[in-house]
Amino acid sequence: MTHLEIFQDLIAKTQSYKPEKRKGIFNISELCFLLASLQVTKETLDQIQFEEHKEEFKTLFEDYYPRALLKHGQYLAQLNRVLDHFKPQNPSPYKKFTQAVFLTAKYFSHYDSFEAFRKEVYLTCVDEDSTLEYLKNFRKESKLSSMYFVKTCVFFETAGFFDIPIPSKKAKEYLLPKMEIEDENEKLYKRMLHLAKSNKITCHELNKRIELLPC
């Protein structure tokens, strides 16, 4: 199928989509929480009943402000505070979430502010090629082992840093048969970028429409 045919099919299947004002993140606290939460599964968040205890976690982790959080010590000190508060029968999911928050805070603590982090990103990512390289290397550079390419795309797209495609599982299921390409994240990323540009829509809209597709 051509890109126009794919786009027309997508439009027909997602007529419920309503254009929205895109939101971004503009402080280090929200950025830290978003990046930490992407490193754990929905199952882990459900196991710690995160939604019910959201404010308690926020307090324990100093509103997710990196340097304030790290004043409580290394990972084990952070974990002990969490376990002492919740006293769970199964500590495993609490360990996973605490580790994700701690490692994320450690990463962001190297930056004096949100603006300092954003400036570094934009100085590095000056065009499509350099942006793609940055996304591919983010896992290694950040030392966040679970931040594979797709999750990294989700992070920077959700935070509003870039208008980029997300080669998600649903995107693969929908687009790979139509584009007749191999199941490779980088290849799909580039084709999705071209699909959005050739049909004069944002990658954000493309991602949202794909999310709306029936499973």
Side-chain angles (χ1 to χ4, degrees):
M1 294 177 73
T2 66
H3 281 178
L4 179 58
E5 290 171 331
I6 294 172
F7 180 64
Q8 289 173 336
D9 180 70
L10 182 60
I11 292 290
K13 290 176 177 174
T14 57
Q15 293 181 17
S16 63
Y17 175 76
K18 300 266 191 305
E20 57 187 2
K21 186 175 181 180
R22 191 174 180 199
K23 297 177 182 178
I25 288 177
F26 300 97
N27 69 70
I28 203 75
S29 167
E30 291 180 24
L31 208 59
C32 183
F33 171 71
L34 173 62
L35 185 53
S37 64
L38 285 171
Q39 293 171 63
V40 296
T41 63
K42 182 182 181 300
E43 181 184 15
T44 294
L45 293 176
D46 289 342
Q47 287 172 336
I48 64 176
Q49 298 179 303
F50 180 78
E51 285 302 318
E52 292 89 333
H53 300 288
K54 186 184 294 185
E55 292 305 316
E56 292 165 77
F57 279 109
K58 192 174 180 181
T59 299
L60 285 166
F61 293 132
E62 298 294 343
D63 290 352
Y64 301 99
Y65 280 100
R67 292 183 179 178
L69 190 158
L70 293 177
K71 287 181 180 178
H72 292 290
Q74 295 298 307
Y75 164 67
L76 285 179
Q78 305 280 349
L79 178 62
N80 287 334
R81 292 181 76 240
V82 171
L83 296 181
D84 286 346
H85 179 81
F86 290 106
K87 298 178 172 55
Q89 289 186 335
N90 178 16
S92 180
Y94 292 86
K95 289 179 179 179
K96 291 176 183 177
F97 185 58
T98 301
Q99 183 179 51
V101 172
F102 172 73
L103 291 176
T104 304
K106 193 173 180 181
Y107 170 64
F108 280 128
S109 69
H110 297 296
Y111 299 93
D112 290 333
S113 64
F114 170 83
E115 288 300 333
F117 175 69
R118 183 164 65 173
K119 181 180 179 180
E120 179 180 288
V121 172
Y122 287 156
L123 284 174
T124 304
C125 304
V126 296
D127 55 24
E128 288 180 7
D129 290 339
S130 57
T131 299
L132 178 56
E133 283 304 306
Y134 180 81
L135 297 172
K136 286 163 56 180
N137 293 327
F138 181 75
R139 175 175 175 262
K140 181 175 68 175
E141 296 300 323
S142 66
K143 295 182 174 60
L144 300 174
S145 60
S146 63
M147 287 306 295
Y148 290 95
F149 180 71
V150 175
K151 284 187 178 182
T152 298
C153 291
V154 172
F155 171 65
F156 283 103
E157 202 277 341
T158 304
F161 277 57
F162 305 121
D163 182 46
I164 53 175
I166 299 172
S168 63
K169 181 181 178 182
K170 187 174 277 191
K172 290 180 180 181
E173 290 172 351
Y174 177 68
L175 292 172
L176 290 182
K178 292 175 172 56
M179 291 181 166
E180 298 181 345
I181 59 173
E182 298 171 33
D183 185 356
E184 292 183 15
N185 290 330
E186 187 178 337
K187 284 186 179 179
L188 182 57
Y189 174 98
K190 290 179 179 178
R191 289 293 295 272
M192 288 175 72
L193 195 60
H194 186 56
L195 176 63
K197 283 188 170 186
S198 63
N199 288 288
K200 296 181 172 58
I201 62 167
T202 63
C203 291
H204 181 70
E205 178 177 339
L206 177 61
N207 296 329
K208 289 295 182 183
R209 286 189 180 277
I210 288 174
E211 281 180 26
L212 287 172
L213 289 169
C215 295

